[in-house]
Amino acid sequence: MSRMVSLSVAAALLIAVAGCSNSTSEAASTSQQTGSESLIPADFADKPLVWASAANQPPAAFTSADGKPTGIDFDLAQGLQTVIGHEINYTTAPFANNVLGLDAGRVDIVADAAPNASRLEKYDIVAVYNTAYGVAVKKDSPAIDGSNPDNLCGHSVSTNAGGYIIPVLKQKSEACTAAGKEPIDIQEFPDGTACGLAVQSGRVDAWFGTFPSQQYAASQAQGDWQVSLAPWAKYTNSLMVKKGTGLAEALATGMDTMIKDGSYHDAMAKYGLEQLELEKSIINPAS
């Protein structure tokens, strides 16, 4: 189930509280400086853009204690709305559902995507920040060193359904059996929260997920997790749009504006992600 939030409404409420004047004119003024508004394709000009993030995937996208959307995705969506001067409606759902929504035309921007060969053939992809996967196990369980994929042989792991890493894990599992070892038991779950719960309940041995999500979980759980980086599973966290629409160019221009004016750094630092920052956004980064 998805939940949609108008960022214009959220921004208007914040501006009203702060005693500021006209948010629409401020956004238009910013877009004139960046030139990205002129890049918004005609097919999108008369309607809000729909941004879909993977649900329950902190610190990328999650819900605060008072029920409001939060996370780096939400903050970047707000920032991009300002610099491109075009309304963005923010929604969350399982990643696989978001991709289906993009294909069906219900969604314009899918966040939290990783570039791979098949996606680059079908979609345009805009880099947002660098990241990698990691291996997380319960504190009282034997540690699994994520630096070598061979260490996953014979273990059951949870991972997000529809994630780009699934074919990679399947290849690693085949390498396990080719070497005479037990395969990796790969189990898919709808989101990072469900992946973590599968470990804590004993359903699987480890959670193979994004390292920032695992670090966040460890920081919130008072040491209930052991987390190990998997440097062989690096990727660029990205926005995914339909190919050839021109929307990727507008988003990349907006990202570059946020990088230059410091608002990108502020958003990343808010969630402890400043070490993952890009110096410039890239369209269709290498997989």
Side-chain angles (χ1 to χ4, degrees), residues 71-163:
I72 184 62
D73 286 4
F74 185 72
D75 288 9
L76 291 177
Q78 285 186 308
L80 281 169
Q81 175 177 261
T82 298
V83 300
I84 68 176
H86 193 87
E87 185 178 358
I88 296 176
N89 286 342
Y90 177 90
T91 185
T92 59
F95 179 79
N97 292 7
N98 292 340
V99 177
L100 292 174
L102 179 61
D103 291 341
R106 296 188 302 272
V107 169
D108 302 308
I109 305 165
V110 171
D112 312 308
N116 61 22
S118 61
R119 287 179 181 168
L120 288 167
E121 287 182 3
K122 187 175 182 180
Y123 308 102
D124 282 330
I125 292 178
V126 180
V128 177
Y129 58 86
N130 293 310
T131 192
Y133 277 80
V135 180
V137 299
K138 292 170 65 175
K139 180 182 178 181
D140 56 358
S141 299
I144 299 176
D145 181 4
S147 64
N148 188 336
D150 291 348
N151 294 331
L152 295 175
C153 298
H155 288 288
S156 56
V157 300
S158 59
T159 196
N160 278 31

Side-chain angles (χ1 to χ4, degrees), residues 148-157 168-186 232:
N148 188 336
D150 291 348
N151 294 331
L152 295 175
C153 298
H155 288 288
S156 56
V157 300
V168 178
L169 287 174
K170 288 180 178 178
Q171 290 176 354
K172 300 302 180 185
S173 182
E174 290 171 0
C176 291
T177 55
K181 301 177 182 178
E182 292 295 316
I184 304 169
D185 178 10
I186 305 162
W232 50 272

Side-chain angles (χ1 to χ4, degrees), residues 14-35:
L14 291 173
I15 289 167
V17 170
C20 296
S21 54
N22 191 320
S23 62
T24 304
S25 64
E26 289 177 359
S29 174
T30 305
S31 69
Q32 288 169 6
Q33 294 172 5
T34 64

Side-chain angles (χ1 to χ4, degrees), residues 19 26 29 34 39 68 70 98 145 171 175 242 252 256 264 269 278 282:
E26 289 177 359
S29 174
T34 64
L39 295 177
K68 296 178 180 179
T70 189
N98 292 340
D145 181 4
Q171 290 176 354
K242 283 189 174 180
D256 284 339
Y264 170 76
L278 297 176
I282 302 169

